Amino acid sequence: MAEPLSKAALRVRQLRKAYQDVVAVDGLDLEVRAGECFGLLGPNGAGKTTTIEICEGLTRADAGEVEVLGLRWDAHASELRQRLGIQLQETQLAEKLTVWETLRLFRSFYHQGPETAEVIALVQLEEKQKSRVGNLSGGQKQRLALACALVGDPDLLFLDEPTTGLDPQARRQLWELIERFQEAGRTIVLTTHYMDEAERLCDRVAIMDHGKTIALGTPRELIASIGVEHLVEFSSDGAAGSVDTGALGRIDGVREVRRENGSVQMQVTELHRAVPALLEELGRQGVPLTELRTHSATLEDVFVALTGRHLRDE
Amino acid sequence: MSEAAAVSGTRARPRARHPLAQLTGTRFREFLREPEALFWGFAFPILLAIGLGIAFRNRPPDVLKIAAVTPELARSLAREKLLAVEELPAAAGAAELRTGKVVLLAEPGPGGTVTYRYDDTNPDGRTARRLADDAVQRAAGRADPVGARDELLREPGSRYIDFLVPGLLGMGLMGNGIWLTGFPIVDARRKKLLKRLVATPMPRPYYLLSFLLFRLSLLGVEVGLLLGAGVFLFGVPVRGRFLDFAAICVLGSLAFNALGLLIASRARTIEAASGLMNLTMMPMWVLSGVFFSSQRFPDAVQPLVRALPLTATIDALRMNMLQGATLLQAAPQLAVMGAWLGLSFTLALKLFRWR
Ligand SMILES: Nc1ncnc2c1ncn2[C@@H]1O[C@H](COP(=O)(O)OP(=O)(O)OP(=O)(O)O)[C@@H](O)[C@H]1O
Ligand SMILES: [Mg+2]
């Protein structure tokens, strides 16, 4: 990594892709620097998969330019295939093959890369190397899919929703693997609709909605951009409706007060001053407090602030 | 070695791991780990040959059971060795005839004549009628003007099993060729595995080639087992050159592989693919003369029947095995097979979708 931040690993300009009835990608611009982990964050149908698959040379764009590792798909496809590691959103690997056989097959396509045994050790599947793929758990399958993306010792790794559908423990395990690859100086582009995943793994994030980037920056910058550091939420056993929100809004450091599903949400800049004042005000109004929660603003809040919607409809 | 080093460790590929070898190995592993495919592709045709071979084996001619009402008639009829005569009262004889215990009942008629009661739609009844009448007439003193001598022919090659084994061989080539090529490809497309493979540097022709190598190496086993069962259990002849026989099998298999590839070129679901496969194979099971001669279909449809790849394959196999024909004599059949191979393969490559 001589000049890690000067060279672009991926450059996308004015990318467009429409299917019969939807515009999946609508004039997208991206630049991913060598050595960084870049996240595409967005709700279902935002166009993340379409974008990443165009970059992977699997889908043809209607318009726009894509440059991967300084190369173009129409001229350098076979070189690019050797240098990219790819995990697709919904591949099912051959169920009848074992972990070892699967990786040996994938390894045979690449000129160079680690030995099969090394990749298996890397994703911690040693105990399962003789098991059939069909008998693996969801997390193990996902680690195998990651291993298949790593067998060619890629310069650039594309991961499309690497942890969707996994339990928290399996997700953390996968995050550690991705971080290790990142520490080795490789570039990663990943898509996700988990804000915690993006915050933990990504150096920079592009938030996508309806085929466009609506925000770009480090997770920290994006959170700071909405000007809210904390969120305070309380409920009061059915009495939340009678709270005088006007009075709450006048508390020092409180920016905005909203009612949502029987609870009250407040955007707050200084937690240490706002919370005591809130408790005092509720005491004065005689409102019994049944629940009080505070959390620091997340990328989810950024998305809500930008679109008025949540990332995932839960 | 540390994991970070494993990530960046780069080593040249050992020679044994050629992608084509790996892909072909994958075909074998997936096939051998699918017990159903093994049964239907390998064991079933052999069981069918054995079952049908036994059911339709050539037995010594059956002795037909008949009944006679009078002792005189019974005595005359007993001279015919192919008839087993029972003497019964008229009522009891009629009852046995009705229930099929005897195929014919002989009764004295008015004025010294004989009446034969039998079902003329039953071939056994008609045969018994001729045998019984001959016996009665000869007993009454009829002399045959022309002397006759029987020479019996029970040679291998003219029996049903000899006809059947080439039919089953052709049916196996078709079933395995289409199914074992088409099914794995559609399954891989459905699972997005095809898409994942083209996201690697895998040379795409290797993927298709692996099916070809897999099928050709399996061919020796699948043909060998069925042919071996036919030759050793039933003495089915292979009169033509063995190399010619092998060439017909290879060409037939290639034609059906290409057809399987064509069927699999676009289908996205197993249901769609099975439908197409059945639609392709069903008419040939019926028309191509696996179990009975395709000559039995009306002349009007004969050109169509002969243009089917399975008819051509089976005809070529029968010509080789039963008549000892050369490849040149089977040229029309081989041309049909070659045409199917060329057309299907070209079209399949044009239509093939990797995703
Ligand atoms: N092959 C296709 N044919 C038609 N429409 C498609 C196709 N692929 C994607 N789309 C549409 O394009 C839009 C973007 O889809 P895409 O898969 O890129 O979204 P995504 O951000 O990856 O969503 P998710 O988080 O659910 O994976 C969606 O509206 C989708 O319905
Ligand atoms: Mg997606």
Side-chain angles (χ1 to χ4, degrees), chain B residues 171 174 281-294 297 305 308 310-311:
Chain B
M171 191 174 82
M174 174 174 80
M281 294 199 280
M282 203 81 88
M284 291 199 258
W285 279 329
V286 177
L287 295 173
S288 290
V290 177
F291 298 102
F292 55 86
S293 172
S294 60
F297 290 103
V305 169
L308 295 173
L310 184 59
T311 317

Side-chain angles (χ1 to χ4, degrees), chain A residues 121-141:
Chain A
L122 191 66
V123 297
Q124 295 155 19
L125 282 174
E126 293 100 325
E127 282 171 26
K128 290 284 170 186
Q129 64 181 27
K130 292 208 172 69
S131 304
R132 301 248 177 112
V133 172
N135 297 334
L136 297 181
S137 72
Q140 290 164 344
K141 277 188 183 136

Side-chain angles (χ1 to χ4, degrees), chain A residues 48-49 89 160-161 191:
Chain A
K48 305 183 294 295
T49 298
Q89 188 173 350
D160 198 354
E161 302 201 8
T191 77

Side-chain angles (χ1 to χ4, degrees), chain B residues 37-337:
Chain B
L38 271 174
F39 174 78
W40 292 109
F42 283 55
F44 181 67
I46 295 174
L47 293 179
L48 203 60
I50 293 175
L52 292 173
I54 289 172
F56 293 96
R57 75 186 180 281
N58 296 39
R59 281 161 299 191
D62 280 330
V63 172
L64 299 171
K65 284 189 185 157
I66 62 170
V69 172
T70 63
E72 296 77 44
L73 266 177
R75 226 176 299 120
S76 333
L77 288 167
R79 289 193 197 159
E80 171 57 62
K81 282 195 291 294
L82 292 178
L83 295 175
V85 192
E86 205 180 353
E87 194 193 321
L88 286 174
E96 297 231 317
L97 181 64
R98 255 200 322 279
T99 53
K101 284 194 183 121
V102 298
V103 295
L104 177 137
L105 177 65
E107 295 173 335
T113 60
V114 182
T115 306
Y116 301 112
R117 291 179 191 282
Y118 66 101
D119 176 359
D120 74 331
T121 63
N122 177 356
D124 282 351
R126 293 199 301 270
T127 309
R129 157 72 172 77
R130 265 188 289 108
L131 291 170
D133 195 45
D134 277 349
V136 169
Q137 304 296 351
R138 284 198 194 119
R142 183 184 80 185
D144 293 328
V146 181
R149 195 166 61 88
D150 293 337
E151 214 164 82
L152 300 176
L153 185 83
R154 282 183 205 156
E155 248 185 288
S158 57
R159 305 161 309 168
Y160 183 61
I161 186 75
D162 305 318
F163 178 84
L164 182 67
V165 167
L168 290 178
L169 279 172
M171 191 174 82
L173 290 178
M174 174 174 80
N176 288 341
I178 291 183
W179 192 255
L180 295 181
T181 311
F183 180 81
I185 292 179
V186 175
D187 197 44
R189 183 181 294 115
R190 179 178 70 90
K191 292 175 168 165
K192 307 264 160 100
L193 181 54
L194 274 189
K195 187 172 167 186
R196 179 63 187 90
L197 287 174
V198 289
T200 71
M202 176 190 78
R204 295 182 189 193
Y206 282 2
Y207 183 76
L208 301 181
L209 211 54
S210 74
F211 282 92
L212 198 69
L213 292 181
F214 160 65
R215 284 295 301 135
L216 287 183
S217 18
L218 212 59
L219 199 60
V221 185
E222 82 188 53
V223 170
L225 282 175
L226 181 55
L227 188 69
V231 169
F232 290 111
L233 297 180
F234 299 104
V236 171
V238 184
R239 299 204 170 104
R241 287 204 320 155
F242 189 75
L243 262 181
D244 293 356
F245 172 82
I248 296 169
C249 290
V250 168
L251 183 59
S253 181
L254 290 180
F256 290 121
N257 290 345
L259 207 51
L261 191 66
L262 177 61
I263 289 172
S265 61
R266 292 255 163 148
R268 284 182 192 287
T269 64
I270 297 297
E271 290 78 9
S274 319
L276 279 175
M277 287 184 199
N278 285 333
L279 195 69
T280 312
M281 294 199 280
M282 203 81 88
M284 291 199 258
W285 279 329
V286 177
L287 295 173
S288 290
V290 177
F291 298 102
F292 55 86
S293 172
S294 60
Q295 306 285 336
R296 292 200 191 180
F297 290 103
D299 286 347
V301 296
Q302 283 299 329
L304 175 80
V305 169
R306 270 187 242 120
L308 295 173
L310 184 59
T311 317
T313 306
I314 293 178
D315 284 354
L317 285 172
R318 285 196 181 125
M319 288 168 76
N320 171 277
M321 289 171 66
L322 307 183
Q323 296 155 30
T326 62
L327 284 188
L328 197 64
Q329 288 167 302
Q333 281 78 12
L334 299 180
V336 170
M337 292 153 80

Side-chain angles (χ1 to χ4, degrees), chain A residues 118-235:
Chain A
E118 291 168 32
V119 194
I120 289 178
L122 191 66
V123 297
Q124 295 155 19
L125 282 174
E126 293 100 325
E127 282 171 26
K128 290 284 170 186
Q129 64 181 27
K130 292 208 172 69
S131 304
R132 301 248 177 112
V133 172
N135 297 334
L136 297 181
S137 72
Q140 290 164 344
K141 277 188 183 136
Q142 212 65 8
R143 276 185 276 152
L144 177 60
L146 179 63
C148 288
L150 292 177
V151 285
D153 193 27
D155 294 326
L156 173 54
L157 187 61
F158 286 106
L159 304 173
D160 198 354
E161 302 201 8
T163 67
T164 296
L166 299 187
D167 58 82
Q169 194 203 339
R171 293 179 65 201
R172 267 195 295 279
Q173 204 173 5
L174 217 76
W175 287 348
E176 280 164 24
L177 295 176
I178 295 170
E179 279 168 342
R180 226 174 275 152
F181 181 81
Q182 202 183 351
E183 281 157 17
R186 307 310 166 87
T187 314
I188 302 174
V189 176
L190 65 83
T191 77
T192 180
H193 37 112
Y194 295 115
M195 63 215 162
D196 53 342
E197 183 162 295
E199 281 176 36
R200 165 149 180 193
L201 293 177
C202 299
D203 300 314
R204 289 194 308 143
V205 171
I207 298 183
M208 278 187 81
D209 194 28
H210 299 305
K212 293 193 175 79
T213 348
I214 54 172
L216 176 74
T218 66
R220 211 158 254 298
E221 286 167 359
L222 292 175
I223 292 164
S225 74
I226 56 171
V228 179
E229 280 153 41
H230 305 280
L231 283 106
V232 176
E233 188 177 351
F234 70 87
S235 48

Side-chain angles (χ1 to χ4, degrees), chain A residues 53 58-59 81-82 86 88 90-98 101 104-116 118 121-122 132 148-149 153 180-181 184 186, chain B residues 1 3-14 17-20 22-23 25-26 29-30 33-35 190-193 195-204 355:
Chain A
E53 287 188 354
L58 294 172
T59 302
R81 288 267 165 256
Q82 288 287 346
I86 290 175
L88 300 177
E90 42 179 18
T91 301
Q92 291 168 268
L93 294 164
E95 306 208 326
K96 294 256 171 353
L97 295 186
T98 66
E101 288 162 351
R104 194 177 46 181
L105 173 67
F106 275 82
R107 176 63 184 84
S108 76
F109 303 144
Y110 294 89
H111 295 323
Q112 53 149 47
E115 288 298 312
T116 306
E118 291 168 32
L122 191 66
R132 301 248 177 112
C148 288
D153 193 27
R180 226 174 275 152
F181 181 81
R186 307 310 166 87
Chain B
M1 101 183 290
E3 280 143 342
V7 173
S8 53
T10 61
R11 227 138 292 134
R13 179 176 59 210
R17 293 186 189 159
H18 192 274
L20 187 54
Q22 285 296 318
L23 284 165
T26 300
R29 286 184 196 105
E30 291 191 320
R33 291 169 191 178
E34 189 86 63
R190 179 178 70 90
K191 292 175 168 165
K192 307 264 160 100
L193 181 54
K195 187 172 167 186
R196 179 63 187 90
L197 287 174
V198 289
T200 71
M202 176 190 78
R204 295 182 189 193
R355 42 182 314 170

